[in-house]
Amino acid sequence: TLKQQKNLADLGLAVSKINHDMRNILASAQLISDRLADVDDPVVKRFAPTLLRTIDRAVGYTTEVLSYGRTTEPEPHRRFVELRPLVSDVGEMLAIDPSAGIEFQIQIPDGLQVDADSEQLFRVVHNICRNAVQALMNDHADSGAARLISVSAMRTGSVVSISVDDTGPGMPPKARENLFAAFRGSARSGGTGLGLAIARELVLAHGGTIALVEKPTPGTLFRIELPDRPVPLDAFRSKARH
């Protein structure tokens, strides 16, 4: 009976994690679809690929439910991917309302590559950026400061460091105490805290780290560090011979 109860609890967590990301992505799809009804053909052509990618991702997540009791994410299928286009895709999927006055900045050099599963890395960056958007939307304080989300990155040797910085109200103490804890680490009322829990699990699967970084100005700064995979000696020797 205890084993059965544990399997049910594990299944509940797995489904909750999947549904969390599905809800976010489908919400973006809905916003983009609403805009398509009022635009001319050239704009439709611009948004249509984004909508299709969004739906494809949602369909992909639904297949995860078929694995009963799975509580861990699948092993990452890693390859070197261009980081700037991936983050640009995240910005489009966020579908930030222009009237919100939130600016999404990408400060990533062209050609910077990261050794990662592109879909899993997309989920990591999307979850953190979506939290930042919600924090800025819920911040009703009139500080006069720019409402900004900035994603930057740099490579140092075999490690790529990605920073997601916002100018919101910052992380409340309760959320800091339960950072990366599912159902306990939410920074807002009604949230689940699953976004950061999922991000941490995916980053750890890549052998990387994710941390909340203290900064002197208001807002929240997360830093992700992803190392390249070690090169097997046989592959290195074979390449050296050629």
Side-chain angles (χ1 to χ4, degrees), residues 17 20-21 73 123 127 194-202:
K17 288 161 55 179
H20 175 273
D21 280 356
E73 299 287 347
R123 291 173 65 188
N127 274 326
L194 279 168
L196 288 179
I198 293 169
R200 179 178 182 272
E201 183 174 344
L202 294 175

Side-chain angles (χ1 to χ4, degrees), residues 74-79 81 115-120 206 229:
E75 286 294 317
H77 298 290
R78 300 176 69 165
R79 61 184 178 86
V81 297
D115 184 14
D117 183 309
S118 60
E119 283 300 314
Q120 292 189 1
H206 283 75
R229 287 165 294 174

Side-chain angles (χ1 to χ4, degrees), residues 147-217:
R147 295 156 66 84
L148 176 67
I149 300 169
S150 174
V151 183
S152 59
M154 62 180 293
R155 173 176 283 278
T156 305
S158 61
V159 177
V160 172
S161 176
I162 305 169
S163 297
V164 181
D165 193 2
D166 69 60
T167 58
M171 191 76 66
K174 182 180 178 182
R176 286 173 176 268
E177 292 171 6
N178 298 289
L179 203 61
F180 306 118
F183 306 113
R184 291 184 294 154
S186 177
R188 60 189 174 84
S189 177
T192 61
L194 279 168
L196 288 179
I198 293 169
R200 179 178 182 272
E201 183 174 344
L202 294 175
V203 169
L204 290 179
H206 283 75
T209 61
I210 178 172
L212 177 66
V213 180
E214 296 293 338
K215 63 174 190 171
T217 55

Side-chain angles (χ1 to χ4, degrees), residues 1-19 64-65 67-73 182-183 194 201:
T1 300
L2 289 173
K3 184 177 180 180
Q4 185 179 29
Q5 289 177 345
K6 183 180 184 302
N7 284 341
L8 288 173
D10 289 345
L11 177 60
L13 178 59
V15 172
S16 296
K17 288 161 55 179
I18 295 163
N19 284 343
E64 301 287 345
V65 182
S67 299
Y68 174 77
R70 175 196 267 175
T71 58
T72 58
E73 299 287 347
F183 306 113
L194 279 168
E201 183 174 344

Side-chain angles (χ1 to χ4, degrees), residues 84-99:
R84 188 180 179 89
L86 185 148
V87 175
S88 179
D89 203 7
V90 168
E92 290 184 9
M93 294 293 183
L94 290 171
I96 300 172
D97 189 336
S99 65

